[in-house]
Amino acid sequence: SCTRQNSANGAAWCAVRVNQAGEVLRNGWEDCTDGCPGKNGPDESCNTEGDCYANGKKCDGIQDAGCICKKGQCKISSGCGKMGAFFRTGCGTCNEEDCEDEGACKWTGSQCMETSRRRTACLSTSSSPCIFPFTYQGVVYNSCTRQNSVNGAAWCAVRVNQ
């Protein structure tokens, strides 16, 4: 869909040429025409969860709903696989659209299944491998976060309780 992120003229734009990694090539974008997804509505594009809380985005000012960046668009999380204050939303109860919102579940075949914790090549500033997903203060993170960061830098879990 169209985005206004980093738009030089404020107009919604989309990629028309990308490399094999899906990154926009230099001058590989054009302004969107009326009728394109995201052109006339609010810009809900994102690269990180934090983008969704920016001024004018879907979760701007929302305190009590978990917002995620899923497939490049801001989305209020379904909480699938997430441990709430009094209950856990089991993966088996989630539909395909919401299954992978929190990273605790994965859509396999025709059902939502539990995933296992996995290590990634992502490293902390001390060169320790980040562990995703991790849970911090009841929220499941699938990427680095700035939540409660003392210095404003993004951080990740390098150890988790089993």
Side-chain angles (χ1 to χ4, degrees):
S1 72
C2 300
T3 183
R4 287 184 176 81
Q5 188 170 342
N6 299 326
S7 175
N9 63 4
W13 63 274
C14 65
V16 293
R17 287 184 304 282
V18 296
N19 63 18
Q20 289 179 329
E23 298 164 336
V24 180
L25 295 173
R26 184 177 179 164
N27 297 320
W29 59 272
E30 294 179 9
D31 288 346
C32 295
T33 60
D34 288 339
C36 289
K39 165 71 176 175
N40 299 320
D43 176 16
E44 295 301 346
S45 63
C46 58
N47 292 314
T48 67
E49 177 183 311
D51 294 342
C52 299
Y53 291 93
N55 190 24
K57 294 284 188 166
K58 183 178 287 284
C59 295
D60 179 19
I62 295 178
Q63 300 291 325
D64 58 350
C67 207
I68 59 172
C69 180
K70 185 173 182 181
K71 298 179 182 173
Q73 294 292 305
C74 295
K75 177 182 190 278
I76 294 178
S77 174
S78 66
C80 183
K82 183 177 177 183
M83 183 66 176
F86 302 104
F87 64 92
R88 181 178 178 281
T89 306
C91 295
T93 65
C94 303
N95 62 30
E96 185 173 6
E97 169 68 23
D98 297 336
C99 179
E100 298 177 11
D101 282 3
E102 295 292 335
C105 311
K106 179 145 183 82
W107 190 259
T108 307
S110 61
Q111 59 185 338
C112 191
M113 309 269 301
E114 297 281 333
T115 60
S116 58
R117 293 196 185 274
R118 59 193 181 281
R119 293 190 175 264
T120 68
C122 180
L123 301 176
S124 71
T125 56
S126 63
S127 298
S128 297
C130 292
I131 299 173
F132 301 115
F134 66 91
T135 303
Y136 175 69
Q137 294 186 336
V139 177
V140 177
Y141 293 89
N142 294 298
S143 61
C144 293
T145 181
R146 288 184 170 77
Q147 184 70 31
N148 295 336
S149 174
V150 175
N151 63 3
W155 61 272
C156 66
V158 294
R159 286 188 317 271
V160 295
N161 299 335
Q162 296 300 338

